[in-house]
Amino acid sequence: MHEQSLAGQASTAAEQATASSAERSTPLKDFLWTLPQPLLVFGSMFAVATAVTTQWMNADLLTTIMIVLPLPLILVAERIWTKRKDWIPEPVELAEDAAWLAAGAFIWVPLYSDYYQTPISDGFEWVRDSSGLAFSMAPETTLGLVGAALLAITLSEFIYYWLHRVQHESLFWWRIHGTHHHITKMSAARGDRTHPLEWLALMVSRPIILALLGASDDVIAVIVAFGFWQGILNHSNLPLRSGVFGWFLSTAPMHHLHHSNHPVNSNTNYGCSIIIWDRLFGTYSGCTEIESVGAGTGKPLSIRTQLAMAFYPDEKLKSL
């Protein structure tokens, strides 16, 4: 009886924690919250594509803006349209998020920067040369650039889907992925909380597809515009809804569920950009009720522990 009482109190606390402007939902509000994610994601893609084709703005400058602009805007939006009050980060948590973002920006992302012309470019060129593919993906129209970008994203997500799924289904590979799941709050700045070894494992899928397709720099610029908005919005503490775009795009509610502390929920919705592979392979879930996010005990871990957990023995890893 005492345990049931505690469980009831915990459930009530979780419900109270979600109290925000989103709580007073109406059908109209629900519909309106389906619009921001596709409008921002596809809008940025078309903005970059038209900058390339019509030269209304320098495309490289616009792509840079699309990289820098989303995070501060969404962090401010989270304070205005908060999905869950218990997910608002404390100052020390914001500082920790900044450390992870800096590591991604200055250590790991540069390996894949300048599109896929990187210190490991020779490897991707070898993949392409060995494939026997003789075509290149270099459309010159706005719709062609957006379509080519979506095709490349969808194909690369197929590889990412299986890498991501294996990391959940194998304790050995969970070591490098668990760092990302040991977050106990959702927020826009938390998408880059990624173990260094996972950068190497997960970020290889898109460059390989880009190399095989012979994607032009213009196509990749449109892909970059898609990726930054999508990743930030999916981790944001905003009351976004899936809507009709959720049949194709992975949306914030889907990814929030993937971060659930309950394994039945977290072992679903592996696609971080595209959701169709989850739908095809039976791992999609449309559930939107989440009591808490995190992994294992659901307690926050220090940065040191998050980095070291990749080298822990099985039993210690399970105890986190």
Side-chain angles (χ1 to χ4, degrees):
M1 180 66 71
H2 179 62
E3 292 179 353
Q4 291 178 343
S5 176
L6 289 177
Q9 291 174 7
S11 177
T12 300
E15 291 172 0
Q16 291 175 344
T18 64
S20 65
S21 60
E23 188 177 51
R24 299 179 296 275
S25 64
T26 65
L28 177 59
K29 277 189 176 182
D30 289 347
F31 168 73
L32 291 176
W33 277 112
T34 68
L35 301 179
Q37 188 161 2
L39 287 177
L40 288 169
V41 171
F42 290 126
S44 63
M45 293 177 74
F46 275 97
V48 171
T50 55
V52 170
T53 56
T54 68
Q55 298 183 342
W56 65 273
M57 181 177 181
N58 181 282
D60 288 338
L61 174 60
L62 183 57
T63 303
T64 302
I65 293 173
M66 291 300 176
I67 293 174
V68 175
L69 186 64
L71 183 57
L73 284 180
I74 300 305
L75 284 176
V76 171
E78 287 180 343
R79 297 301 180 116
I80 301 173
W81 300 288
T82 308
K83 177 177 180 177
R84 286 183 55 155
K85 292 182 179 179
D86 61 328
W87 286 354
I88 297 176
E90 302 293 334
V92 66
E93 294 172 317
L94 286 173
E96 187 175 322
D97 291 341
W100 284 103
L101 285 167
F106 297 110
I107 300 176
W108 304 111
V109 171
L111 285 175
Y112 299 86
S113 65
D114 194 18
Y115 307 127
Y116 61 88
Q117 303 302 315
T118 73
I120 54 176
S121 299
D122 290 344
F124 295 126
E125 291 175 3
W126 176 85
V127 169
R128 176 166 173 77
D129 292 342
S130 301
S131 69
L133 297 176
F135 64 90
S136 62
M137 182 182 283
E140 298 181 355
T141 66
T142 299
L143 287 177
L145 286 170
V146 173
L150 289 174
L151 175 62
I153 292 167
T154 303
L155 293 176
S156 62
E157 190 83 355
F158 175 79
I159 299 176
Y160 175 84
Y161 168 87
W162 287 107
L163 288 172
H164 192 180
R165 182 170 175 174
V166 166
Q167 288 180 324
H168 277 254
E169 296 178 351
S170 164
L171 187 61
F172 177 82
W173 293 110
W174 173 257
R175 281 176 166 77
I176 61 173
H177 186 54
T179 294
H180 184 65
H181 275 269
H182 275 280
I183 59 175
T184 56
K185 299 177 180 180
M186 299 302 294
S187 179
R190 305 211 143 180
D192 280 342
R193 188 180 291 246
T194 304
H195 196 280
L197 294 176
E198 187 175 13
W199 279 107
L200 301 178
L202 290 183
M203 289 193 68
V204 73
S205 60
R206 186 161 294 171
I208 286 179
I209 292 298
L210 295 176
L212 288 174
L213 294 175
S216 68
D217 288 353
D218 293 338
V219 171
I220 300 169
V222 178
I223 292 172
V224 169
F226 172 95
F228 275 87
W229 277 111
Q230 181 71 344
I232 288 171
L233 288 169
N234 274 350
H235 290 87
S236 67
N237 184 15
L238 292 172
L240 299 169
R241 304 279 181 166
S242 295
V244 67
F245 293 96
W247 283 98
F248 177 71
L249 280 183
S250 176
T251 61
M254 297 174 191
H255 200 65
H256 289 175
L257 185 73
H258 178 70
H259 275 274
S260 169
N261 188 234
H262 199 300
V264 171
N265 291 327
S266 64
N267 293 333
T268 64
N269 299 346
Y270 294 114
C272 286
S273 297
I274 306 297
I275 203 64
I276 59 172
W277 301 119
D278 285 282
R279 292 185 181 279
L280 287 173
F281 295 112
T283 52
Y284 168 76
S285 175
C287 177
T288 58
E289 299 299 323
I290 310 168
E291 280 196 19
S292 61
V293 298
T297 62
K299 297 179 180 178
L301 303 178
S302 67
I303 291 182
R304 180 180 178 181
T305 300
Q306 291 175 66
L307 291 172
M309 62 188 293
F311 309 100
Y312 284 170
D314 289 358
E315 292 307 313
K316 187 171 183 178
L317 191 66
K318 293 176 183 178
S319 69
L320 296 177

